[in-house]
Amino acid sequence: MKNSLFLPLPLLSLPLPPPIHLKNATECVKKRVTCAVIGVPKSIDNDILLIDRCFGFDTAVEEAQRALLAAKVEASSADRGVGLVRLMGRQSGFIAMQASMASGVVDLCLIPEVPFTLPKLAAALDAVLARKGHAVVCVAEGAGQDLVDGHHAADASGNPILADIGAFLKGELKARCKGVDIKYIDPT
């Protein structure tokens, strides 16, 4: 309650500052305070049901496109060049997919919602390299976590601590695709 600002308008309460918890609403009920509660979604990934756009999603996609365009320049400047970009997206690949489509330069996009295997990924990458001579691969940070051994720990909030899938894929793709020159970009 002490972090809430009550305006002189009836039935309006704005919880301030972040982190915003709905426990303020429980306190209002306990103290019989008449107010409306406004919940603001805290996710940049745009992965909350019934919410059209989360704060920061469009900006995240725009900034991600810069990294993807830089990866395209790096990849196209080398024979069998690969630009590998790791983007935000622990449990959903909305940023990675939207940025990949908007940039128009991504050949392979890996997201947590769609499992993949390393042999199929390597074969797809080899096919793109044979056709174009270079490739851009975008990977959301939560994609392929099942392929990385030994990462099953959780942080204090209970969220899984993710392995660096970009660094892992860089090593695996170098071993599986002969003669590739991989540039790894992590814009975070």
Side-chain angles (χ1 to χ4, degrees):
M1 292 291 287
K2 66 182 178 184
N3 289 336
S4 295
L5 170 67
F6 289 96
L7 299 176
L9 302 172
L11 305 175
L12 181 63
S13 170
L14 301 174
L16 297 172
I20 298 170
H21 298 286
L22 291 180
K23 69 180 181 180
N24 288 347
T26 306
E27 288 296 316
C28 287
V29 170
K30 284 181 185 176
K31 295 183 180 184
R32 297 183 185 269
V33 175
T34 303
C35 64
V37 177
I38 300 169
V40 179
K42 184 190 155 277
S43 173
I44 197 171
D45 294 325
N46 210 38
D47 60 351
I48 299 175
L49 293 176
L50 305 176
I51 302 293
D52 291 332
R53 283 279 191 258
C54 292
F55 292 110
F57 176 74
D58 291 334
T59 304
V61 169
E62 287 177 24
E63 291 302 315
Q65 286 180 70
R66 292 178 198 242
L68 294 171
L69 293 172
K72 168 72 172 179
V73 171
E74 289 289 334
S76 61
S77 67
D79 184 43
R80 290 183 57 84
V82 176
L84 176 62
V85 181
R86 182 180 73 110
L87 296 176
M88 294 181 287
R90 296 177 61 82
Q91 296 172 339
S92 67
F94 290 118
I95 293 174
M97 186 59 69
Q98 189 80 18
S100 294
M101 292 188 303
S103 71
V105 299
V106 175
D107 299 294
L108 301 168
C109 183
L110 308 171
I111 58 174
E113 297 90 337
V114 181
F116 63 92
T117 64
L118 292 172
K120 286 185 179 179
L121 175 61
L125 182 59
D126 272 332
V128 172
L129 292 172
R131 189 176 72 249
K132 292 175 48 178
H134 65 276
V136 176
V137 179
C138 178
V139 59
E141 64 185 330
Q145 291 295 314
D146 58 321
L147 303 174
V148 184
D149 292 330
H151 283 278
H152 302 290
D155 64 13
S157 299
N159 297 317
I161 297 174
L162 300 178
D164 186 349
I165 190 66
F168 173 77
L169 287 178
K170 179 180 178 182
E172 287 292 323
L173 292 174
K174 272 193 170 196
R176 293 170 184 267
C177 301
K178 301 302 176 206
V180 295
D181 183 7
I182 300 179
K183 303 294 185 199
Y184 175 43
I185 298 173
D186 181 359
T188 56

